[in-house]
Amino acid sequence: EDKVVQSPLSLVVHEGDTVTLNCSYEVTNFRSLLWYKQEKKAPTFLFMLTSSGIEKKSGRLSSILDKKELFSILNITATQTGDSAVYLCAVVNAGNNRKLIWGLGTSLAVNP
Amino acid sequence: DVKVTQSSRYLVKRTGEKVFLECVQDMDHENMFWYRQDPGLGLRLIYFSYDVKMKEKGDIPEGYSVSREKKERFSLILESASTNQTSMYLCASGQGSSYEQYFGPGTRLTVT
């Protein structure tokens, strides 16, 4: 059965720290991996990764995919209180009608 | 920007009532999805649709039905609401063969 596991489940850091969130997967016919940020409302799209080893970057956030070891990391540098959110990872099984397989998320709290 | 709207942010219904949750997107997206989100269970797909008048069951369709009479609108129907359907309901849309999904603000439904 396809599955996506995120770690840690929760994390508390101070402003200015750098954090690394992990997403590992077991999916037949892997196509892509997506990261979302969810504050107290709807998830918002961050990145989609399809190729191994190519970093995607947006401001202080970056992400990379390792298709050999079957995981992705999301890095946030110089964290701010506005980064406090649940970060969700989802994977596409290309043979699965474009449905996303979701992890349970990592809850990040950034304290001032 | 993609805009996905949902008819209500908060809704309280009684057991046995028929409940309609409406979702509208303004980006001419072909794909639309209904999820529910519960603590510890993450996002679970209820139903999805890749075209007008088309629908497919997701992972937890029992107790729900959907309607897609127009491209921009995807309705979720709880035929006879039960307390175990108390949850956050999220609608999402996406374009054609793209895997990215864009979410509405969610409806927090309480069934008493």
Side-chain angles (χ1 to χ4, degrees):
Chain A
E1 185 180 330
D2 294 341
K3 66 178 179 181
V4 176
V5 177
Q6 293 186 244
S7 62
L9 285 181
S10 65
L11 194 54
V12 181
V13 300
H14 291 290
E15 265 192 318
D17 288 351
T18 293
V19 297
T20 299
L21 310 183
N22 300 283
C23 176
S24 63
Y25 60 89
E26 292 178 24
V27 174
T28 57
N29 204 6
F30 172 88
R31 183 65 182 262
S32 298
L33 184 146
L34 296 88
W35 283 99
Y36 283 79
K37 177 183 181 182
Q38 185 175 23
E39 297 168 270
K40 292 189 186 300
K41 45 186 177 161
T44 54
F45 174 76
L46 294 174
F47 299 112
M48 184 167 71
L49 303 148
T50 302
S51 301
S52 219
I54 298 174
E55 185 182 57
K56 293 247 176 145
K57 198 170 171 66
S58 175
R60 295 174 296 99
L61 276 66
S62 63
S63 184
I64 198 159
L65 175 67
D66 185 330
K67 290 167 73 173
K68 183 179 176 186
E69 300 297 330
L70 309 183
F71 75 94
S72 172
I73 59 172
L74 176 68
N75 277 320
I76 309 174
T77 58
T79 52
Q80 303 172 356
T81 54
D83 296 326
S84 296
V86 175
Y87 290 84
L88 296 167
C89 171
V91 171
V92 179
N93 177 335
N96 203 12
N97 227 350
R98 278 168 278 155
K99 293 193 297 183
L100 297 179
I101 304 154
W102 294 87
L104 295 182
T106 293
S107 177
L108 173 65
V110 181
N111 291 330
Chain B
D1 278 353
V2 176
K3 192 163 184 188
V4 181
T5 57
Q6 295 182 226
S7 50
S8 307
R9 293 300 304 274
Y10 300 94
L11 206 52
V12 180
K13 295 291 181 181
R14 291 188 181 274
T15 301
E17 280 192 84
K18 191 168 187 175
V19 182
F20 293 87
L21 302 182
E22 303 285 340
C23 175
V24 177
Q25 49 93 4
D26 68 355
M27 283 302 291
D28 202 36
H29 283 170
E30 290 81 4
N31 310 327
M32 296 190 76
F33 306 84
W34 273 107
Y35 293 92
R36 63 179 283 178
Q37 187 175 33
D38 301 286
L41 297 175
L43 279 162
R44 293 182 291 168
L45 182 64
I46 305 171
Y47 267 97
F48 59 104
S49 167
Y50 291 145
D51 201 353
V52 177
K53 297 195 185 292
M54 175 267 178
K55 60 186 179 185
E56 287 198 38
K57 291 180 180 179
D59 299 317
I60 52 162
E62 298 79 18
Y64 303 94
S65 62
V66 289
S67 171
R68 193 163 181 202
E69 296 296 319
K70 293 185 178 182
K71 190 175 185 180
E72 68 271 17
R73 187 181 296 270
F74 193 34
S75 303
L76 180 70
I77 303 151
L78 285 66
E79 297 291 342
S80 176
S82 64
T83 54
N84 63 12
Q85 292 178 309
T86 291
S87 186
M88 170 66 84
Y89 289 87
L90 290 164
C91 173
S93 73
Q95 186 173 18
S97 59
S98 170
Y99 301 119
E100 294 171 34
Q101 295 181 16
Y102 298 89
F103 285 82
T107 295
R108 186 165 292 283
L109 172 68
T110 302
V111 183
T112 62

